[in-house]
């Protein structure tokens, strides 16, 4: 009996919450019977919360990881090193055709380094994004991963300019679109309404009233939360803004600890700034979809709000996603309270930037990625 040859195996890596949204449509595409490929999933455990992990995998219809490295948290050096040590035996056992990494977290660069040193090609999805700020650990991860990748899939055309400027061969660069938007479009009809998610929120005995709209806030970047004075100034401005429109604040565990350490809980408690725990994907999607505006320092949320047409106020000095400013609904204000106030006031009075949907943010990026990988794997590219 002649054994049927096994399809080329692509070992896909996730490590942190933003990776899940990016990998979901890729895994569906790789394991479609007509692609001639096979996808296996490795979860490094870089961000680990048992309840949230289960929620994300169930909501996004991601198969349970074939391999879980269970690395956990740590400093950048410790975490990166631990991932590398645990990932190497996986490659020796699996012997994949390629390793696919997404985004810019520590898992991305750690697994890419191990793969390339063992002669296994690396595929980087969301390549070429640059903020120009090398004090951001993510910027270092992006630059280094792109330099050692065989196939680089970009979300916007300016990313290719960045890669070419850094010496990446044009034959390795492929403009595919944005897999984050694939996931958003795929799940939009199932988004959980904000009224449902916030039904239990109360302050001083009164329930949160969303009848006149609300803003959504996320905050986790070290530049904003690791310095008590900066964090206090930011939260003071946001408390002021909450007098005009209630703000719902799903709090990252690290940010919550910084707020506690800085003694800022009483200031928040007396305001219309409502803190919640971290939200699942469908809950967060519903919160964004129904918001009058979103204030954030997250890169992915800048993209999602542009796709949804929701005004976004980015609490950073720069962005690696310039298309969200040039074409989308995003405005960069930094962490200056006056700039934040002015931008929010404009949105509340005029509705803010309308923006447009960038090219190839059409929900079919993963299909283009998988098609290109299939051509590359059989030597047709």
């Amino acid at each position: 009996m002649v054994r049927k040859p096994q399809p080329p195996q692509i070992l896909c890596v996730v490590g942190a919450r933003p990776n899940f949204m990016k990998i979901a449509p890729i895994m569906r595409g790789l394991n479609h019977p007509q692609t001639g490929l096979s996808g296996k999933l490795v979860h490094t455990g870089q961000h680990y919360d048992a309840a949230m992990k289960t929620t994300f995998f169930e909501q996004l219809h991601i198969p349970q990881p074939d391999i879980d490295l269970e690395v956990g948290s740590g400093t950048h050096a410790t975490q990166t090193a631990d991932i590398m040590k645990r990932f190497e035996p996986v490659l020796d056992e699996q012997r994949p055709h390629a390793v696919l990494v997404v985004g810019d977290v520590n898992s991305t660069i750690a697994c890419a380094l191990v793969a390339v040193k063992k002669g296994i090609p690396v595929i980087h999805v969301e390549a070429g994004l640059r903020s120009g700020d090398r004090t951001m650990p993510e910027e270092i991860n992006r630059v280094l991963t792109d330099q050692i990748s065989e196939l680089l899939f970009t979300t916007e055309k300016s990313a290719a300019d960045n890669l070419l400027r850094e010496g990446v061969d044009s034959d390795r660069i492929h403009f595919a679109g944005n897999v984050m938007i694939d996931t958003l479009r795929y799940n939009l009809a199932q988004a959980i309404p904000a009224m449902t998610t916030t039904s239990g929120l109360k302050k001083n005995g009164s329930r949160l009233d969303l009848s006149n709209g609300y803003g959504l806030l996320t905050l986790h970047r070290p530049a904003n939360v690791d310095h008590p004075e900066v964090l206090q100034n930011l939260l003071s401005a946001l408390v002021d803004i909450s007098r005009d429109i209630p703000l719902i604040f799903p709090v990252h565990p690290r940010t919550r600890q910084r707020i506690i350490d800085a003694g800022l809980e009483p200031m928040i408690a007396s305001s219309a700034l409502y803190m919640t725990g971290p939200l699942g994907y469908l809950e967060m999607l519903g919160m964004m979809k129904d918001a009058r505006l979103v204030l954030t320092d997250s890169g992915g949320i800048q993209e999602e709000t542009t796709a949804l047409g929701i005004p976004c106020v980015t609490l950073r000095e720069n962005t690696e996603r310039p298309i969200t400013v040039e074409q989308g609904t995003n405005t960069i204000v930094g962490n200056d309270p006056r700039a934040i106030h002015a931008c929010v006031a404009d949105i509340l009075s005029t509705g803010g930037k309308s923006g447009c949907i960038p090219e190839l943010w059409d929900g079919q990026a993963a299909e283009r990625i998988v098609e290109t990988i299939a051509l590359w794997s059989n030597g047709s590219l």
Side-chain angles (χ1 to χ4, degrees):
M1 180 177 175
V2 178
R3 285 191 174 183
K4 189 177 180 180
Q6 293 298 307
Q9 183 191 113
I10 310 299
L11 200 59
C12 300
V13 175
V14 293
R17 175 173 171 150
N19 296 163
F20 298 149
M21 288 87 88
K22 296 165 191 171
I23 211 68
I26 295 171
M27 288 297 296
R28 283 197 301 272
L30 287 173
N31 288 319
H32 192 282
Q34 295 181 349
T35 63
L37 299 169
S38 170
K40 273 195 173 183
L41 188 62
V42 176
H43 183 20
T44 68
Q46 175 181 329
H47 287 177
Y48 188 76
D49 179 293
M52 289 304 293
K53 174 187 169 184
T54 301
T55 299
F56 265 75
F57 276 77
E58 288 178 353
Q59 290 187 348
L60 297 175
H61 307 290
I62 305 172
Q64 286 298 311
D66 298 282
I67 299 149
D68 198 330
L69 303 184
E70 300 181 350
V71 168
S73 60
T75 66
H76 285 284
T78 299
Q79 192 175 68
T80 303
D82 285 346
I83 294 168
M84 293 177 74
K85 287 190 292 184
R86 297 189 190 193
F87 189 56
E88 184 172 32
V90 171
L91 292 184
D92 291 337
E93 178 186 344
Q94 297 293 321
R95 299 185 179 277
H97 191 71
V99 168
L100 185 148
V101 295
V102 296
D104 53 22
V105 299
N106 288 340
S107 297
T108 302
I109 182 60
C111 293
L113 277 170
V114 176
V116 77
K117 283 174 176 278
K118 296 183 79 67
I120 299 170
V122 174
I123 301 167
H124 188 200
V125 173
E126 201 182 72
L129 297 181
R130 298 290 183 269
S131 68
D133 180 3
R134 295 212 176 184
T135 67
M136 294 175 62
E138 296 88 348
E139 184 81 348
I140 304 303
N141 293 344
R142 293 178 202 118
V143 172
L144 296 180
T145 302
D146 286 340
Q147 285 295 317
I148 58 177
S149 294
E150 180 70 21
L151 290 177
L152 300 98
F153 292 102
T154 61
T155 60
E156 54 183 84
K157 285 188 172 178
S158 67
D161 297 333
N162 295 331
L163 294 169
L164 293 170
R165 190 163 49 247
E166 292 168 5
V168 176
D169 193 310
S170 61
D171 291 343
R172 292 155 55 196
I173 304 168
H174 303 271
F175 178 36
N178 195 330
V179 289
M180 283 275 283
I181 309 309
D182 288 16
T183 293
L184 183 149
R185 290 180 178 273
Y186 186 81
N187 290 283
L188 192 56
Q190 287 77 47
I192 295 171
M195 292 287 288
T196 302
T197 301
T198 63
S199 60
L201 286 180
K202 290 183 179 179
K203 275 197 175 182
N204 304 316
S206 299
R207 291 186 180 276
L208 171 62
D209 181 8
L210 301 183
S211 59
N212 292 316
Y214 65 90
L216 176 65
L217 168 68
T218 77
L219 205 61
H220 75 281
R221 295 279 177 188
N224 284 332
V225 305
D226 283 1
H227 308 286
E229 184 177 348
V230 172
L231 181 59
Q232 181 172 351
N233 286 339
L234 263 175
L235 289 178
S236 178
L238 294 163
V239 164
D240 286 345
I241 288 167
S242 75
R243 296 190 180 102
D244 298 319
I245 183 169
L247 298 178
I248 301 166
F249 184 15
V251 188
H252 189 286
R254 189 166 165 277
T255 302
R256 185 180 290 274
Q257 190 58 52
R258 295 295 185 271
I259 290 170
I260 293 169
D261 292 345
L264 299 174
E265 287 180 296
M267 179 175 67
I268 294 172
S270 62
S271 73
L273 181 57
Y274 290 80
M275 295 172 67
T276 76
L279 300 179
Y281 178 76
L282 294 180
E283 290 84 358
M284 193 66 176
L285 182 56
M287 293 295 299
M288 279 192 287
K289 179 176 72 71
D290 296 335
R292 285 184 66 185
L293 75 160
V294 175
L295 300 108
T296 189
D297 57 7
S298 161
I301 288 177
Q302 295 171 47
E303 295 177 324
E304 290 168 321
T305 48
T306 278
L308 291 168
I310 303 298
C312 181
V313 182
T314 294
L315 308 173
R316 289 169 46 185
E317 301 296 335
N318 49 56
T319 181
E320 64 281 358
R321 294 161 167 88
I323 201 166
T324 63
V325 177
E326 295 160 3
Q327 296 184 24
T329 57
N330 187 21
T331 302
I332 306 293
V333 297
N335 53 27
D336 176 18
R338 290 172 298 181
I340 298 168
H341 274 290
C343 187
V344 170
D346 177 66
I347 291 169
L348 294 180
S349 63
T350 70
K353 296 167 69 173
S354 55
C356 66
I357 306 299
E359 184 181 1
L360 297 189
W361 289 26
D362 56 4
Q364 298 174 32
E367 295 176 26
R368 287 184 283 268
I369 288 169
V370 170
E371 182 180 352
T372 302
I373 293 172
L375 291 171
W376 168 79
S377 68
N378 64 29
S380 300
L381 191 62

